[in-house]
Amino acid sequence: MAFASLSRRGLLQKIGIGAGGAAILGAGVACGATSAAERQDALKQASRDARASAAAKAAPADHATHTNPPVVQAAPTQQGISADAMDKHHEDGIKAFPAKTQGLGGQPLPFTMDGDVKVFSLTCAKVRWEVRPDEFKDAYAYNGTLPGPEIRVTEGDKVRFVVKNDLQESTSIHWHGLKTPNGMDGVPYLTQPPIKPGTTFTYEFVATPAGSHMYHSHHNAMEQVGKGLLGPFIVEPKDKSKYPKFDKEYTMVLNDTLLGFTLNGKSFPATQPLTAKLGERVLVRYMNEGLMNHPMHLHGMPMQVVAKDGYVLSNPYMCDTLDVAPGDRYDVIIDADNPGAWAFHCHTLSHAESPDGMFGLVTALIVEDPSKPKA
Amino acid sequence: MAFASLSRRGLLQKIGIGAGGAAILGAGVACGATSAAERQDALKQASRDARASAAAKAAPADHATHTNPPVVQAAPTQQGISADAMDKHHEDGIKAFPAKTQGLGGQPLPFTMDGDVKVFSLTCAKVRWEVRPDEFKDAYAYNGTLPGPEIRVTEGDKVRFVVKNDLQESTSIHWHGLKTPNGMDGVPYLTQPPIKPGTTFTYEFVATPAGSHMYHSHHNAMEQVGKGLLGPFIVEPKDKSKYPKFDKEYTMVLNDTLLGFTLNGKSFPATQPLTAKLGERVLVRYMNEGLMNHPMHLHGMPMQVVAKDGYVLSNPYMCDTLDVAPGDRYDVIIDADNPGAWAFHCHTLSHAESPDGMFGLVTALIVEDPSKPKA
Amino acid sequence: MAFASLSRRGLLQKIGIGAGGAAILGAGVACGATSAAERQDALKQASRDARASAAAKAAPADHATHTNPPVVQAAPTQQGISADAMDKHHEDGIKAFPAKTQGLGGQPLPFTMDGDVKVFSLTCAKVRWEVRPDEFKDAYAYNGTLPGPEIRVTEGDKVRFVVKNDLQESTSIHWHGLKTPNGMDGVPYLTQPPIKPGTTFTYEFVATPAGSHMYHSHHNAMEQVGKGLLGPFIVEPKDKSKYPKFDKEYTMVLNDTLLGFTLNGKSFPATQPLTAKLGERVLVRYMNEGLMNHPMHLHGMPMQVVAKDGYVLSNPYMCDTLDVAPGDRYDVIIDADNPGAWAFHCHTLSHAESPDGMFGLVTALIVEDPSKPKA
């Protein structure tokens, strides 16, 4: 399952957790329906709840004197702004999450059948892309979105891609991880002529091997991929019995240059959260389309690494931080056994948090406990 | 065992190796008791010894003409300084190692019992921290040291942390690798209110899973962790039979930004060496709290990687260079079977050596041969 | 087998593939014998072939309208140059590959026997090194080449290296991955005196363990290694039965700083291609001597990772992108089962492609199909 565009309201309805995380998360309700006053009231209540909860759990009588002294003055920080002003920026980011922006990438790419061939169309064109609320950037897109639409087929499928270039420069597509005939590999002048502006090129091959792969430009690629010509290409195994079991899945495409630090084309708080019901097994497919390593860290639960570049590992291993290098794909499985809203981010902190709060490669995994009443 | 502050004299007493490494190392004796003249004499002797040793081993008669031609002039280098002047800087660094500085991080954090709960106190405050001799930097510290004190408990222990914020900005603590309830996870506005200046917050949870973990700020974290709000959190397994056997252990916390390249809060030559007796098995726990990958390289002996992020690997593997990404922890075991003083450093050479000599992420593993007479 | 200097003509004679890749590759014939007019004709024919081939395979009647619209105007790109002008730069790079330059590194280092000791000579000196056609840089070299000559011995061999320093600064050699006595480890002032300008130092040890290792300067190393004082040191296993089978092998030494992004001392298009006959198993030994991670990506076929730092993995794993960190060595085996000329490059795109075309850490693996007629 790809990310669907979740409204904040939809998210909150899914979350059945009371104190702390989701309650505070719920307080923001940035998507419109509640008033500023209501949001403020909800936030205050949530803060009171969280503090009360923490105090109840963690502050027995003999430690009470250490807890929450009354003096919370706006002391100047190193940066010359008050602690409260800095906190406000951080709070605003969390409250705004998931922030609504125009455009959502990675949605399923439809196809038509031509005999036994699945036929897909991809058009490259310039777009204005909203990376964060009110931050629009010049980008290049397949079919108008970043990442490009998700291609999903089954191992052994015959596939054809009709690629139209509406950019003002040439391009090509490399099917990163797929085993194609040489002429379909997408490297201009080595395996094909470039796809000139205004022209179309047709790729055709058998989709193999199974796994989490990618497609992206291989012409002026540092710029074209940096600007958005990239997308997930998932080949499901014909025999699923050899692939670990999971209940739902997400893909995380990482990028880091011309459009800033983006997770599926968006920067926090415009990233989409992942959700799971308590007890579900969640597959996450990491795909790095950037120029830097991104050690992805999930709070609250470890990840089991089950595949590299689509190849199932004979010896899966556990971790909570997984370094994903440019071009890498990793499949990990998360046992969603710890309820709450958990930070999920690149642990290169300069890709995730500034003095003004979290940004970039940050999202959350929200594990809903169905036994708890809705907030 | 955490690093203890070893004096140079103490070190040398431990080393039973004659020529080359330790002899030259011994020549520095930077910690005070010997005079400059004595140091110089010792150095000359050690150099003579090392050359004689090398010559005896390596220069049979028919190669003698290649060895040590008499012309050793101070030729100008590319940098416009003489080779001898450049060498002097390098020599000074090695001679000064391990250089004495104020403050030693990562020492055991004491606790008190409250019923069956281990209660720890951590206070965040600004400090002036001596990274290298006479280089003091503005830093943030837990209980006054960088890294913060080492927390060490056993899997399943109930733990409580009373965290006092004496900074001028808010903070929080994330227990990186620990599986806590959501409200104890330490992400302001997502799971708790920030810990405002002058206030206290109490965390309480059961310490699990076993392994090499960390604690650090999760608020304005790029700056706060960069400035020192970080420490090792080691959870020993309840059942130690599933963890590889070792004789002694060290933790290496890596950091790389606001305070320069630091290993356990210090830059070479102020880093502490590791020591082992010949035949001992040494566990090293790498923890990367920085913003860059650090491929750690040990000379003389390989490392067996036995755990990632605290999770014991079902298939340990051997290496001599191990890339540790931000947020990563790796446990490796070294068979100390090769006597001598061995360089141990990040192989990103710009993190370890400049034209003025070694600095930053450099230390040494000193393997003592008890059968050899003391130097 | 190390890389031999392949002429473009020799390459083409090896390639038995018709359309697309090799045909276009063949069109360049940059090494001299054909005229510009012949090259142009051949290129046009190859382009027509490739387009016809792609059209025949991929454009059935009902998609024909999408294919190759007639309008291919020289539209201005983002960079203010026309698409055709940009393409020309890319084409020129591919056509020039493999471009002839002076000097070829990594060639076998001869030795003499002194009793049962293999005696090698290495001299460090400044050179002018041609990194790409007509780009000469000031470099440091062992025996005049970058990388230095390939040392290749068998596990357990007694080896001696007579190292002469003809630089204007001191140096030393560290045998990265080898297990030497402490005094032979090559760290000035820790294990030996520096090798002063004009002097010689002799290293002697038993070559162990087996595997893909390196030798490089350990004095002012960020500069000296960055400028070229590095080379491959391969220790073949005494018992080859425990090492995976392969038919031919290549070594790829990566570097990234003072001389630009270089693969075996050269930047694309001056890099040497790898070649294999269809069905051969090709061993590639990656060695990173740079300051950055390089995720190496091969098109068309996956790689099986069989050893890390020379140590054979008990559980090899498959991938198509392998992140190689500074100091790392990885052995991978490629089943050359997909005919054609395949791009092979660092997937940090800024190390491989600019708006002016491919450069730096780029080469190709050319898989020849002997059943096909020569082009």
Side-chain angles (χ1 to χ4, degrees):
Chain A
M1 191 195 83
F3 278 87
S5 185
L6 293 175
S7 72
R8 196 169 172 77
R9 180 167 296 275
L11 249 186
L12 294 174
Q13 285 167 351
K14 287 169 172 284
I15 305 171
I17 38 177
I24 292 178
L25 180 72
V29 197
C31 297
T34 53
S35 72
E38 283 173 327
R39 280 202 297 273
Q40 217 165 40
D41 285 352
L43 176 69
K44 282 179 189 163
Q45 182 58 45
S47 296
R48 274 194 300 270
D49 286 355
R51 288 182 185 178
S53 164
K57 285 182 195 155
D62 57 343
H63 287 90
T65 52
H66 294 289
T67 309
N68 297 335
V71 185
V72 189
Q73 286 170 353
T77 68
Q78 299 308 107
Q79 290 74 30
I81 65 162
S82 74
D84 286 346
M86 180 187 281
D87 292 350
K88 183 70 168 53
H89 288 292
H90 287 252
E91 182 176 12
D92 289 347
I94 298 281
K95 281 169 65 178
F97 174 74
K100 205 171 184 175
T101 48
Q102 289 179 21
L104 181 69
Q107 299 307 295
L109 182 62
F111 58 88
T112 58
M113 295 301 298
D114 178 24
D116 60 350
V117 180
K118 291 183 175 174
V119 182
F120 299 83
S121 290
L122 289 169
T123 298
C124 316
K126 278 183 65 175
V127 294
R128 290 283 289 173
W129 186 254
E130 195 177 11
V131 172
R132 281 160 60 105
D134 301 321
E135 280 188 34
F136 286 85
K137 302 210 177 183
D138 286 330
Y140 288 180
Y142 293 120
N143 295 6
T145 70
L146 278 67
E150 179 195 280
I151 298 164
R152 183 177 288 257
V153 297
T154 298
E155 193 185 359
D157 282 358
K158 292 178 189 169
V159 293
R160 181 185 304 144
F161 297 93
V162 182
V163 180
K164 176 91 189 315
N165 180 11
D166 282 347
L167 297 169
Q168 289 183 297
E169 58 179 296
S170 297
T171 191
S172 74
I173 297 186
H174 171 57
W175 314 94
H176 184 103
L178 278 293
K179 194 164 180 174
T180 70
N182 194 246
M184 299 289 115
D185 189 49
V187 183
Y189 301 110
L190 186 64
T191 69
Q192 69 168 82
I195 312 176
K196 294 276 186 184
T199 71
T200 294
F201 189 88
T202 303
Y203 294 91
E204 184 159 340
F205 51 88
V206 175
T208 180
S212 300
H213 306 307
M214 309 191 288
Y215 63 104
H216 56 229
S217 166
H218 212 287
H219 188 64
N220 191 22
M222 181 181 67
E223 285 194 5
Q224 292 192 1
V225 177
K227 283 186 173 172
L229 288 185
L230 55 90
F233 193 137
I234 295 166
V235 182
E236 297 192 340
K238 196 177 284 186
D239 174 4
K240 293 195 179 183
S241 70
K242 285 170 188 162
Y243 194 87
K245 294 279 168 287
F246 59 91
D247 297 303
K248 66 189 302 189
E249 68 172 272
Y250 289 94
T251 294
M252 282 193 185
V253 179
L254 313 172
N255 207 353
D256 52 31
T257 48
L258 300 173
L259 304 176
F261 294 100
T262 56
L263 194 165
N264 290 330
K266 302 289 178 176
S267 171
F268 185 87
T271 49
Q272 290 291 314
L274 298 76
T275 64
K277 288 198 174 52
L278 192 64
E280 283 188 324
R281 281 165 65 87
V282 181
L283 170 67
V284 174
R285 303 175 190 267
Y286 295 111
M287 302 183 176
N288 189 342
E289 286 281 19
L291 303 181
M292 305 172 190
N293 283 38
H294 297 295
M296 297 301 297
H297 175 57
L298 172 62
H299 290 217
M301 285 147 287
M303 313 182 266
Q304 186 186 33
V305 186
V306 298
K308 169 76 175 83
D309 297 349
Y311 297 93
V312 175
L313 297 176
S314 60
N315 279 273
Y317 60 94
M318 302 295 292
C319 67
D320 55 54
T321 308
L322 182 62
D323 192 30
V324 186
D328 275 355
R329 290 91 62 213
Y330 281 101
D331 296 1
V332 304
I333 286 183
I334 299 157
D335 274 317
D337 63 359
N338 204 359
W342 300 98
F344 197 171
H345 61 95
C346 175
H347 211 279
T348 301
L349 298 177
S350 46
H351 305 175
E353 194 172 34
S354 80
D356 287 338
M358 288 195 278
F359 75 101
L361 297 175
V362 177
T363 184
L365 168 61
I366 299 168
V367 180
E368 314 151 26
D369 184 350
S371 73
K372 292 279 181 64
K374 305 288 179 191
Chain B
M1 191 195 84
F3 279 88
S5 185
L6 293 175
S7 74
R8 194 167 173 79
R9 181 166 296 277
L11 251 185
L12 294 174
Q13 285 168 350
K14 287 169 172 283
I15 306 171
I17 37 177
I24 292 177
L25 180 73
V29 197
C31 296
T34 54
S35 72
E38 283 172 327
R39 278 204 297 274
Q40 219 163 39
D41 285 351
L43 176 69
K44 282 180 190 163
Q45 183 56 47
S47 296
R48 273 193 301 270
D49 286 354
R51 289 183 185 175
S53 165
K57 284 183 196 155
D62 57 345
H63 287 90
T65 53
H66 294 288
T67 309
N68 296 333
V71 186
V72 189
Q73 286 169 354
T77 68
Q78 299 309 106
Q79 291 74 31
I81 65 164
S82 75
D84 286 347
M86 180 186 281
D87 292 351
K88 183 68 167 56
H89 288 293
H90 286 252
E91 182 177 12
D92 288 347
I94 298 283
K95 282 169 65 177
F97 173 74
K100 204 170 184 174
T101 48
Q102 290 179 21
L104 181 69
Q107 299 307 295
L109 182 62
F111 58 88
T112 58
M113 295 302 298
D114 178 24
D116 59 351
V117 180
K118 292 182 175 174
V119 182
F120 299 83
S121 290
L122 289 168
T123 299
C124 316
K126 279 183 66 176
V127 294
R128 290 284 288 173
W129 186 253
E130 195 176 11
V131 172
R132 280 160 61 104
D134 300 323
E135 280 187 35
F136 286 84
K137 302 211 177 181
D138 286 330
Y140 288 179
Y142 293 120
N143 295 5
T145 70
L146 278 68
E150 179 195 280
I151 299 164
R152 184 177 288 258
V153 298
T154 298
E155 194 185 358
D157 280 358
K158 292 179 190 169
V159 293
R160 181 184 305 145
F161 298 94
V162 182
V163 180
K164 176 90 189 316
N165 180 10
D166 282 347
L167 298 168
Q168 289 182 298
E169 58 179 296
S170 297
T171 193
S172 75
I173 297 185
H174 171 58
W175 315 94
H176 184 103
L178 277 292
K179 195 164 181 174
T180 70
N182 193 246
M184 300 289 114
D185 189 49
V187 183
Y189 302 110
L190 186 63
T191 69
Q192 68 168 84
I195 312 176
K196 294 277 186 183
T199 72
T200 294
F201 189 88
T202 303
Y203 294 91
E204 184 159 340
F205 51 88
V206 175
T208 181
S212 300
H213 306 306
M214 309 191 288
Y215 64 104
H216 56 228
S217 165
H218 213 286
H219 189 64
N220 190 23
M222 181 182 65
E223 285 195 5
Q224 292 191 2
V225 177
K227 283 185 174 173
L229 288 186
L230 54 90
F233 192 137
I234 295 165
V235 181
E236 298 192 339
K238 197 177 283 185
D239 174 5
K240 293 195 180 182
S241 70
K242 286 170 189 164
Y243 194 87
K245 294 280 168 287
F246 59 92
D247 297 302
K248 65 188 302 189
E249 68 172 273
Y250 289 94
T251 294
M252 284 193 183
V253 179
L254 313 171
N255 208 352
D256 53 31
T257 48
L258 300 173
L259 304 176
F261 294 100
T262 57
L263 196 165
N264 289 331
K266 303 288 178 177
S267 172
F268 184 87
T271 49
Q272 290 292 312
L274 298 74
T275 64
K277 288 197 174 53
L278 192 64
E280 282 188 324
R281 282 165 62 88
V282 181
L283 171 67
V284 174
R285 304 176 189 267
Y286 296 111
M287 304 183 174
N288 189 341
E289 286 281 19
L291 303 181
M292 306 172 190
N293 283 39
H294 296 296
M296 296 302 296
H297 175 56
L298 172 62
H299 290 217
M301 285 147 287
M303 312 182 266
Q304 185 185 35
V305 186
V306 298
K308 168 76 174 82
D309 296 349
Y311 297 92
V312 175
L313 296 176
S314 60
N315 279 273
Y317 58 95
M318 302 296 290
C319 67
D320 55 54
T321 308
L322 182 63
D323 192 31
V324 186
D328 275 354
R329 290 91 63 212
Y330 280 102
D331 295 2
V332 304
I333 286 183
I334 299 156
D335 273 317
D337 63 359
N338 204 358
W342 300 98
F344 197 170
H345 60 94
C346 176
H347 211 280
T348 300
L349 299 176
S350 46
H351 305 175
E353 193 172 35
S354 80
D356 286 338
M358 287 195 278
F359 75 101
L361 298 174
V362 176
T363 183
L365 168 61
I366 299 167
V367 180
E368 314 150 27
D369 183 351
S371 73
K372 292 278 181 65
K374 305 290 178 191
Chain C
M1 192 194 83
F3 278 86
S5 185
L6 293 175
S7 73
R8 194 167 173 77
R9 180 167 297 277
L11 248 186
L12 294 175
Q13 285 168 352
K14 288 170 173 282
I15 305 171
I17 37 175
I24 293 178
L25 180 72
V29 196
C31 296
T34 53
S35 72
E38 284 173 327
R39 277 203 298 275
Q40 218 164 38
D41 285 351
L43 175 68
K44 282 180 190 163
Q45 182 56 45
S47 296
R48 275 194 299 270
D49 286 354
R51 288 183 187 177
S53 164
K57 285 183 195 156
D62 57 344
H63 287 90
T65 53
H66 294 289
T67 308
N68 296 334
V71 187
V72 189
Q73 287 169 352
T77 68
Q78 300 309 107
Q79 291 73 31
I81 65 163
S82 74
D84 286 346
M86 180 187 280
D87 292 350
K88 183 68 168 55
H89 288 293
H90 286 252
E91 183 177 11
D92 288 348
I94 298 283
K95 282 170 65 177
F97 174 75
K100 206 170 182 174
T101 49
Q102 289 180 21
L104 181 69
Q107 299 307 295
L109 182 62
F111 58 89
T112 59
M113 294 302 298
D114 178 24
D116 59 350
V117 180
K118 292 183 175 174
V119 182
F120 300 83
S121 290
L122 289 168
T123 298
C124 316
K126 278 182 67 174
V127 294
R128 290 283 290 171
W129 186 254
E130 195 177 11
V131 172
R132 280 160 61 103
D134 300 322
E135 281 187 33
F136 287 84
K137 303 210 176 182
D138 286 330
Y140 287 0
Y142 293 120
N143 295 6
T145 70
L146 279 67
E150 179 195 280
I151 299 164
R152 184 177 288 259
V153 297
T154 298
E155 192 184 359
D157 281 357
K158 291 178 191 170
V159 293
R160 181 185 305 146
F161 298 93
V162 181
V163 180
K164 176 92 188 316
N165 180 11
D166 282 347
L167 297 170
Q168 289 182 297
E169 58 180 295
S170 297
T171 192
S172 75
I173 296 186
H174 170 58
W175 315 94
H176 184 103
L178 277 294
K179 194 163 181 176
T180 70
N182 193 245
M184 298 290 115
D185 189 48
V187 183
Y189 301 109
L190 186 63
T191 69
Q192 68 169 82
I195 311 176
K196 294 277 185 183
T199 71
T200 295
F201 190 89
T202 303
Y203 295 91
E204 184 159 340
F205 51 89
V206 175
T208 181
S212 301
H213 306 305
M214 309 192 288
Y215 63 103
H216 55 229
S217 166
H218 213 286
H219 189 64
N220 191 22
M222 181 181 66
E223 285 194 4
Q224 292 191 1
V225 177
K227 283 186 173 172
L229 288 186
L230 54 91
F233 192 137
I234 295 166
V235 182
E236 297 192 340
K238 196 176 283 185
D239 175 4
K240 293 196 181 183
S241 70
K242 285 171 188 163
Y243 194 87
K245 295 279 169 287
F246 58 92
D247 297 303
K248 66 189 302 189
E249 68 172 273
Y250 288 95
T251 294
M252 283 194 184
V253 179
L254 314 172
N255 208 352
D256 52 31
T257 48
L258 300 173
L259 304 175
F261 294 100
T262 57
L263 195 164
N264 290 331
K266 303 287 178 177
S267 171
F268 184 88
T271 49
Q272 289 292 313
L274 298 75
T275 64
K277 289 197 174 54
L278 192 63
E280 282 187 325
R281 281 165 64 87
V282 181
L283 171 67
V284 174
R285 304 175 190 267
Y286 296 111
M287 302 183 176
N288 189 341
E289 286 281 18
L291 303 182
M292 305 173 190
N293 283 39
H294 297 296
M296 296 302 295
H297 175 56
L298 171 62
H299 290 218
M301 284 147 288
M303 313 182 266
Q304 185 185 36
V305 186
V306 299
K308 168 76 175 85
D309 297 350
Y311 297 93
V312 175
L313 296 176
S314 60
N315 279 272
Y317 60 93
M318 302 295 292
C319 67
D320 54 55
T321 308
L322 181 62
D323 192 32
V324 186
D328 275 355
R329 290 92 63 214
Y330 281 101
D331 295 2
V332 304
I333 286 184
I334 299 157
D335 274 317
D337 63 0
N338 204 0
W342 300 99
F344 197 171
H345 61 95
C346 176
H347 211 280
T348 300
L349 299 177
S350 46
H351 305 176
E353 193 172 34
S354 80
D356 286 338
M358 288 195 278
F359 75 102
L361 298 174
V362 176
T363 185
L365 168 61
I366 298 168
V367 180
E368 313 152 26
D369 183 352
S371 72
K372 292 277 180 65
K374 305 288 179 193

